[in-house]
Amino acid sequence: LRFVSNHVSHGFRLKVEACGVSVSEWVVLRELYGPGPGSPGALMQSLGMTRGAVSKLLDRLEDKGLATRSI
């Protein structure tokens, strides 16, 4: 099972990286795709990430034009 899991994870990583995003960025995008606007605090809680990690990922997604922040 571990071999299969590693194989699937590796294949998924290659697919998302071919689209220009990391797996971590994809996880955030997937969470933002849900209903309603997402806040950094909500992302922290739902993904179990630190404030700094969420901030860095959002910065990278903004730089790539895949997300925008609004007040």
Side-chain angles (χ1 to χ4, degrees):
L1 257 117
R2 181 178 295 160
F3 173 78
V4 172
S5 175
N6 289 342
H7 183 71
V8 170
S9 295
H10 177 71
F12 180 76
R13 182 178 60 80
L14 292 176
K15 292 282 187 188
V16 298
E17 287 178 355
C19 294
V21 296
S22 69
V23 172
S24 298
E25 292 167 344
W26 180 87
V27 168
V28 172
L29 285 171
R30 177 154 182 331
E31 193 68 26
L32 290 173
Y33 186 73
S39 69
L43 287 172
M44 284 174 39
Q45 193 165 26
S46 65
L47 299 174
M49 293 181 172
T50 64
R51 180 184 310 263
V54 168
S55 181
K56 285 179 185 178
L57 286 166
L58 290 173
D59 287 344
R60 288 183 356 208
L61 291 170
E62 268 190 309
D63 290 345
K64 293 178 181 184
L66 298 173
T68 56
R69 295 181 196 186
S70 61
I71 300 175

